[in-house]
Amino acid sequence: MPTLILVRHGRSTANTEGLLAGWTPGVALDERGGAQAAALPGRLAELPLSEVVSSPLQRCQETIQPLLDARPGLSAHSDERIGECHYGDWSGRKLAELAGEPLMEVVQAHPSAAAFPGGESMRAMQTRAAEAVREWNARVERDHGSDAVYLMCSHGDIIKSLVADALGLHLDLFQRISVDPCSITAIRYTRLRPFLVRLGDTGDFASLAPKEEQAGGDAAVGGGAGAP
């Protein structure tokens, strides 16, 4: 079965403003995010990509555009099932403000029980994304063969949930996974099991350096902004 390259969108204006973007329209890449997207074709130059599938949200579309410009013959598709979690009433709010909401503790410690007011549950988010991957695996294998490599551009919580699915981890453990903006995660699917062969690879280790203000033990809902 195919190898899936998961790319989180580049750093966005919402990331730098500390907002939980969700499906809020008009959230674009910031200057650093644009540079990350511009570097993506070079980072993927040796991969014979057969298809590109993207979340319909602007920050993902902007992330893959330099890659599509560099490979004009590459087929591109949009799939809402790998779009960001529907955070409902939380969308567009400051993460610092949301940290005080009782639901945030559930999101951190027991995400399989978390459902956002006016939005969707984290279980539903993972289910739709995993179903999309399985359908695209079958389609890519049918059209390009079992050794094909294809790319999906998506969002932090979506990618983390797909990694948990590939590893057989309960969704309640997915907050232990971290993927920075424009990081590359690779999952090789086989008939019996998936293999996680890359996780959150940016080629830049600046995000590992100690920060003046540590975020504590909580995971960054939506994925975080990565290195400054």
Side-chain angles (χ1 to χ4, degrees):
M1 296 178 69
T3 296
L4 170 60
I5 307 299
L6 287 162
V7 176
R8 185 182 168 201
H9 61 78
R11 197 174 74 176
S12 72
T13 54
N15 294 144
T16 48
E17 292 171 9
L19 300 176
L20 186 62
W23 284 71
T24 305
V27 176
L29 298 183
D30 68 6
E31 185 176 355
R32 179 176 175 82
Q36 291 170 333
L40 195 59
R43 293 169 63 199
L44 298 173
E46 296 185 20
L47 288 181
L49 298 174
S50 58
E51 305 273 357
V52 170
V53 186
S54 177
S55 158
L57 293 173
Q58 180 179 340
R59 52 198 183 273
C60 285
Q61 298 289 326
E62 290 180 352
T63 298
I64 63 168
Q65 193 57 54
L67 178 64
L68 298 178
D69 291 342
R71 303 195 193 191
L74 191 58
S75 298
H77 313 270
S78 179
D79 193 326
E80 290 193 358
R81 294 173 298 176
I82 61 167
E84 182 62 285
C85 185
H86 291 277
Y87 296 116
D89 297 344
W90 280 25
S91 298
R93 291 178 63 186
K94 285 276 189 183
L95 286 164
E97 172 189 318
L98 292 169
E101 295 278 354
L103 178 60
M104 183 60 86
E105 187 177 9
V106 182
V107 170
Q108 292 290 329
H110 191 18
S112 66
F116 295 98
E120 70 179 334
S121 70
M122 301 199 91
R123 294 188 318 278
M125 174 199 75
Q126 182 187 44
T127 297
R128 63 172 163 86
E131 287 178 349
V133 166
R134 283 161 174 76
E135 288 183 21
W136 278 102
N137 281 348
R139 176 173 172 173
V140 169
E141 182 174 17
R142 180 197 69 204
D143 294 344
H144 302 282
S146 59
D147 294 329
V149 180
Y150 75 107
L151 181 147
M152 280 186 168
C153 185
S154 189
H155 306 266
D157 281 349
I158 296 288
I159 294 172
K160 288 162 57 178
S161 74
L162 290 172
V163 170
D165 175 76
L167 293 176
L169 292 178
H170 197 281
L171 183 62
D172 286 345
L173 300 178
F174 101 126
Q175 296 290 28
R176 302 182 183 195
I177 300 165
S178 178
V179 289
D180 280 349
C182 224
S183 63
I184 292 172
T185 295
I187 302 172
R188 181 170 294 127
Y189 288 87
T190 74
R191 186 173 64 87
L192 297 180
R193 64 183 63 85
F195 292 90
L196 178 66
V197 292
R198 292 288 189 279
L199 176 61
D201 188 345
T202 63
D204 177 0
F205 296 103
S207 63
L208 300 180
K211 297 178 176 59
E212 291 184 9
E213 295 183 9
Q214 295 292 338
D218 285 347
V221 179

